């Protein structure tokens, strides 16, 4: 691979251009009106695709924030803790829910077009600029607190607004630079701390070193580990693999959230049907047309995602079908089409009318709740290395993320990580209970391709797991890791990252001999009395 030795030096490098990375990039701009230390120096934002490409733009749900007169940050926190099944870091979650209203006000101020109500329905917002914002409800929330933009296009509008601000800042010469189509392939550690990154130009194939004392990972999750996923192509666990190789700790990787309702049509891509659809009153039905969710949970369609996903999985196992149905036909047609324009358009393009037809749906991998272990400020155990957003694991989601807390996480912690990077605070102590992945051992491996890996993960480390299947997956993934040739291009690096992320998921799931939140084992169906985290570190032994 051709290489160049770069003399380029930045004060900080942000990797990833979803909501967390874009928020961090904008927070890094000099702002005399902002309290605290003045940011200075140069910032580089790096993304392996186009700036606007990433999981954020596909988020149909919304952003959870306690804006209503009958709601509170404390109630939002209580719901977050309840969904997390005993593993939520309550201090971090209190920051998440406590900062939510301010972050919504900030986004409204920079032009995110949140849906609003008018006339007698307006009012109730607790902060200036939020009074007329419309509030929806989703599963496991005790109040109407979900903020949307463009109905089911919240992620798109948030991404476009933030990306537009970043492009303007780059053009204005503010000290923020941007590199698109560039993959970070290593984090360089010298004298025990971050010294820069290795970068690969995805177009030319040239690699180079870029120096910086601070690297902030905001690369998203690893949904592309699975055969069926709502995640876009770039979600290949890059930041998790980079951090592990650099000596950072990785936590809670067994907790992969499977969204209950993704459209399942032959020949069509996996397409998310937002949880907000069930929040509006849609009903899940089996092949005979019978509503079945009340048999699994008294909250029926508004039960937490892990409960609904397993119920659908059980129905599919019982009938031998590869889907169940989501029924919106009893809801007002004009309201449904106006509320869910993206879902309506996609379904119509595939011959389905959401106001009349039953929609075939099945679970799909959706969100990586584990990731790079950080403090509530985004610090890792490696000096100079930070993480924010889905790639990070602050503990705010525990074992099962509450709906619409993901975009909020990026907004809150993307800002906090920049604030912390200005200080000389020591990094968090390493976890003494951390373990390393077992050494990769040659053996009978899968063919070195994504499809085989994704099928293995779906079958053996998916919605329902057991020790035998996880044990087989561990052996196969270990052999695959041992057989991979050195990565030379984007596809090679992504496959290596997926294999490492897959090993972390299966090893953690094999070690966790209980069922908790999104992690369900048929051979250990009960939840253990004491909650604990599974932490991996490359040098832990």
């Amino acid at each position: 691979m051709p290489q160049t030795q770069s003399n380029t030096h930045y004060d900080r490098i942000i990797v990833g251009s979803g909501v967390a990375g874009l928020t961090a990039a904008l927070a890094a701009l000099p702002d005399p009106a902002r309290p605290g230390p003045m940011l200075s120096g140069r910032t580089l934002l790096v993304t392996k695709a186009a700036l606007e490409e990433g999981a954020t733009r596909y988020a149909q749900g919304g952003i959870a924030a306690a804006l209503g007169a009958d709601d509170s940050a404390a109630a939002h926190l209580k719901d977050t803790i309840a969904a997390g099944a005993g593993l939520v870091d309550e201090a971090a979650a209190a920051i998440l829910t406590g900062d939510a209203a301010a972050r919504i006000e900030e986004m409204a101020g920079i032009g995110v077009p949140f849906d609003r109500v008018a006339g007698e329905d307006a009012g109730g917002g607790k902060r200036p600029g939020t009074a007329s914002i419309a509030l929806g409800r989703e599963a496991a929330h005790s109040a109407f607190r979900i903020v949307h933009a463009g109905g089911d296009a919240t992620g798109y509008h948030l991404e476009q607004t933030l990306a537009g601000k970043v492009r303007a800042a780059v053009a204005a010469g503010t000290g923020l630079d941007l590199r698109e189509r560039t993959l970070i392939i290593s984090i360089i550690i010298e004298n025990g701390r971050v010294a820069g990154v290795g970068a690969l130009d995805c177009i030319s194939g040239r690699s180079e070193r870029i120096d910086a004392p601070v690297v902030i990972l905001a690369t998203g999750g690893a949904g592309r580990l699975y055969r069926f996923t709502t995640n876009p192509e770039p979600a290949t666990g890059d930041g998790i693999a980079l951090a592990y190789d650099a000596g950072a700790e990785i936590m809670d990787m067994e907790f992969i959230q499977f969204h209950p309702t993704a459209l399942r049509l032959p020949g069509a891509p996996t397409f998310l049907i937002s949880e907000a659809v069930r929040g509006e009153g849609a009903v899940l039905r089996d092949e005979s047309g019978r509503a079945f969710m009340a048999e699994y949970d008294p909250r029926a369609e508004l039960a937490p995602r892990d409960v609904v996903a397993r119920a659908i999985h059980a129905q599919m196992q019982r009938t031998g079908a590869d889907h169940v149905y989501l029924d919106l036909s009893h809801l007002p047609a004009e309201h449904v089409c106006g509320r869910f324009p993206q879902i309506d358009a996609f379904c119509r393009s595939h011959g389905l009318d959401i106001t009349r037809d039953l929609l075939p749906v099945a679970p799909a991998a959706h969100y990586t709740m584990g990731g790079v272990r950080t403090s509530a400020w985004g610090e890792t155990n490696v000096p100079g290395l930070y993480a924010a957003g889905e790639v990070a694991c602050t503990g705010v989601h525990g074992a099962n993320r509450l709906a619409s807390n993901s975009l909020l996480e990026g907004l809150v912690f993307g800002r906090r990580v920049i604030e912390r990077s200005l200080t000389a605070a020591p990094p968090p102590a390493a976890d003494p209970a951390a373990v390393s992945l077992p050494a990769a051992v040659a053996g009978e491996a899968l063919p070195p391709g994504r499809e085989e890996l994704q099928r293995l993960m779906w079958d053996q480390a998916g919605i329902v797991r057991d020790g035998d299947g996880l044990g087989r997956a561990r052996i196969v993934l270990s052999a695959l890791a041992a057989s991979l040739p050195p990565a030379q291009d984007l596809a090679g690096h992504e496959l290596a990252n997926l294999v490492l992320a897959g090993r972390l998921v299966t090893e953690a799931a094999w070690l966790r001999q209980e069922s908790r939140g999104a992690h369900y084992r048929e051979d250990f169906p009960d939840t253990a009395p004491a909650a604990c985290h599974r932490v991996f570190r490359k040098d832990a032994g």
Side-chain angles (χ1 to χ4, degrees):
M1 181 187 302
Q3 297 184 357
T4 59
Q5 181 64 39
S6 173
N7 294 321
T8 306
H9 182 279
Y10 287 91
D11 294 275
R12 62 197 66 84
I13 297 173
I14 301 167
V15 189
S17 62
V19 59
L22 294 173
T23 298
L26 294 175
L29 297 175
D31 182 1
R34 184 167 50 214
M38 172 66 75
L39 276 162
S40 61
R42 301 173 65 203
T43 300
L44 175 63
L45 177 62
V46 183
T47 180
K48 71 174 178 180
L51 180 68
E52 294 81 5
E53 276 295 326
T56 292
R57 68 172 295 167
Y58 299 101
Q60 294 175 358
I63 308 172
L67 300 178
D70 59 347
D71 197 9
S72 67
H76 186 185
L77 173 62
K78 183 178 179 181
D79 291 344
T80 298
I81 292 170
L87 280 183
V88 169
D89 183 306
E90 296 189 16
I95 292 168
L96 178 79
T97 57
D99 285 1
R103 298 289 74 78
I104 295 298
E105 182 182 14
E106 179 183 28
M107 290 301 101
I110 67 170
V112 177
F114 292 122
D115 297 342
R116 295 180 181 267
V117 294
E120 293 181 1
D121 292 329
K126 297 179 179 180
R127 301 180 65 93
T130 68
S132 62
I133 290 178
L135 301 175
R137 187 171 180 182
E138 291 183 352
H141 285 272
S142 60
F144 287 82
R145 66 166 68 101
I146 312 303
V147 176
H148 298 96
D152 57 0
T154 308
Y156 172 81
H157 287 294
L158 183 62
E159 178 81 14
Q160 290 296 114
T161 303
L162 292 171
K165 293 291 183 182
V166 164
R167 288 199 183 275
V170 171
T174 58
L176 174 63
D177 289 347
L178 170 65
R179 291 202 191 187
E180 299 173 278
R181 311 291 180 188
T182 300
L183 176 71
I184 301 304
I185 57 176
S186 65
I187 297 170
I188 299 167
I189 306 295
E190 293 178 351
N191 300 317
R193 65 162 296 119
V194 166
V197 299
L200 173 72
D201 187 307
C202 298
I203 305 300
S204 70
R206 297 189 68 85
S207 64
E208 65 175 304
R209 169 176 171 151
I210 306 173
D211 293 329
V214 169
V215 172
I216 298 167
L217 298 173
T219 53
R224 283 284 157 178
L225 272 174
Y226 289 91
R227 180 183 177 193
F228 300 106
T229 179
T230 63
N231 287 191
E233 287 293 334
T236 52
D238 304 335
I240 293 166
L242 285 168
Y244 183 80
D245 283 338
E249 293 182 334
I250 311 297
M251 185 169 78
D252 289 352
M253 284 297 290
E254 63 270 44
F255 299 114
I256 301 292
Q257 187 168 73
F258 293 86
H259 198 287
T261 53
L263 198 65
R264 182 70 63 84
L265 284 173
T270 302
F271 182 79
L272 178 68
I273 304 296
S274 171
E275 187 146 20
V277 173
R278 285 178 283 124
E280 293 288 339
V283 176
L284 286 163
R285 302 188 184 278
D286 63 17
E287 288 191 309
S288 69
R290 181 179 60 89
F292 61 83
M293 269 309 303
E295 300 171 14
Y296 293 90
D297 192 284
R299 293 164 292 186
E301 279 74 15
L302 293 181
R305 286 178 176 176
D306 63 309
V307 175
V308 181
R310 284 196 297 275
I312 293 173
H313 180 270
Q315 287 295 122
M316 291 162 52
Q317 293 288 100
R318 182 180 301 172
T319 64
D322 69 349
H323 62 270
V324 295
Y325 292 100
L326 192 62
D327 183 9
L328 294 77
S329 62
H330 57 289
L331 303 175
E334 184 176 349
H335 173 73
V336 165
C337 294
R339 176 68 179 80
F340 305 110
Q342 287 195 127
I343 295 173
D344 179 43
F346 186 89
C347 288
R348 286 184 185 279
S349 73
H350 289 83
L352 291 173
D353 182 344
I354 66 173
T355 68
R356 295 185 303 179
D357 297 327
L358 296 177
L359 307 183
V361 296
H366 185 58
Y367 194 87
T368 308
M369 286 168 292
V372 184
R373 179 174 176 256
T374 73
S375 71
W377 289 101
E379 305 157 293
T380 75
N381 58 291
V382 176
L385 182 62
Y386 299 79
E390 188 176 356
V391 69
C393 185
T394 61
V396 295
H397 304 308
N400 192 35
R401 175 175 68 83
L402 183 66
S404 291
N405 272 355
S406 56
L407 294 178
L408 176 62
E409 178 186 21
L411 291 172
V412 170
F413 293 100
R415 167 185 279 265
R416 286 174 64 85
V417 74
I418 290 295
E419 294 176 13
R420 192 60 162 189
S421 70
L422 295 174
T423 73
D431 189 330
V435 298
S436 296
L437 282 175
V441 178
E444 185 176 346
L446 293 167
R450 278 202 199 188
E451 289 187 7
E452 293 81 4
L453 170 63
Q454 291 166 339
R455 190 177 299 275
L456 174 74
M457 291 297 295
W458 183 262
D459 291 342
Q460 308 298 349
I463 300 167
V464 175
R465 306 159 173 177
D466 63 40
D468 290 342
L470 291 168
R472 287 193 297 272
R474 291 173 66 236
I475 294 170
V476 172
L477 287 171
S478 176
L480 180 55
S483 70
L484 286 178
Q488 299 293 324
D489 55 13
L490 174 64
H493 283 287
E494 286 185 332
L495 179 58
N497 292 339
L498 282 168
V499 171
L500 177 51
R503 294 191 69 203
L504 288 163
V505 171
T506 53
E507 193 72 22
W510 183 74
L511 289 170
R512 185 172 289 278
Q513 296 184 345
E514 64 163 345
S515 291
R516 184 182 295 272
H519 169 71
Y520 184 82
R521 285 188 54 164
E522 285 186 316
D523 50 347
F524 292 98
D526 297 325
T527 300
C532 67
H533 296 282
R534 298 292 177 188
V535 180
F536 292 86
R537 189 177 67 247
K538 189 175 184 179
D539 63 357

